[in-house]
Amino acid sequence: QVLLVESGGGLVQAGGSLRLSCAASGRTSSSYVMGWFRQAPGKEREFVAAIRWSDSNTYYADSVKGRFTISSDNPKNTLYLQMNSLKPEDTAVYYCAADPRPRVVITSSYAYWGQGTQVTVSS
């Protein structure tokens, strides 16, 4: 069992920055992939970014490449998402997720999920 708790969401103006954190506890392993997904009102949950814990390989959705950076602090079991140059279309609830061996961009392939943190970007 893995518990994931997101934090760091809030209200920011377009062009601003936020850093999200996801603290993991429980029986995580070095083979886990951890990712960020987001869901805007009326839309399906979509992949944002992911990182493989063991080797730090990263993956990004095209919509956030060059603006968002995913990283991990392995000793602290903490995942981060640095979000720069935020746009109103980035407004969503952001979720962190983890799985031993997911299909990286597929929402349903992740076994563990946090409760989400709201990010609102004003025009």
Side-chain angles (χ1 to χ4, degrees), residues 97-118:
D99 196 88
R101 193 180 180 184
R103 306 290 295 275
V104 172
V105 305
I106 305 300
T107 303
S108 61
S109 72
Y110 287 76
Y112 305 103
W113 292 86
Q115 82 289 348
T117 185
Q118 177 70 47

Side-chain angles (χ1 to χ4, degrees), residues 11-15 86-88 91 120-123:
L11 175 65
V12 65
Q13 289 186 309
L86 283 161
K87 304 174 181 179
T91 295
T120 302
V121 184
S122 62
S123 300

Side-chain angles (χ1 to χ4, degrees), residues 36-76:
W36 291 97
F37 291 76
R38 66 187 183 187
Q39 188 166 22
K43 296 184 178 180
E44 295 184 352
R45 192 169 299 184
E46 66 175 356
F47 171 78
V48 175
I51 185 167
R52 186 175 296 278
W53 213 253
S54 59
D55 59 12
S56 297
N57 282 352
T58 57
Y59 311 84
Y60 294 95
D62 288 343
S63 60
V64 305
K65 285 181 179 177
R67 299 189 298 122
F68 292 9
T69 302
I70 189 169
S71 62
S72 62
D73 185 337
N74 289 23
K76 295 183 178 179

Side-chain angles (χ1 to χ4, degrees), residues 72-101:
S72 62
D73 185 337
N74 289 23
K76 295 183 178 179
N77 284 336
T78 301
L79 178 73
Y80 300 100
L81 184 68
Q82 178 66 46
M83 304 186 294
N84 298 325
S85 301
L86 283 161
K87 304 174 181 179
E89 51 262 46
D90 295 318
T91 295
V93 177
Y94 283 71
Y95 300 87
C96 65
D99 196 88
R101 193 180 180 184

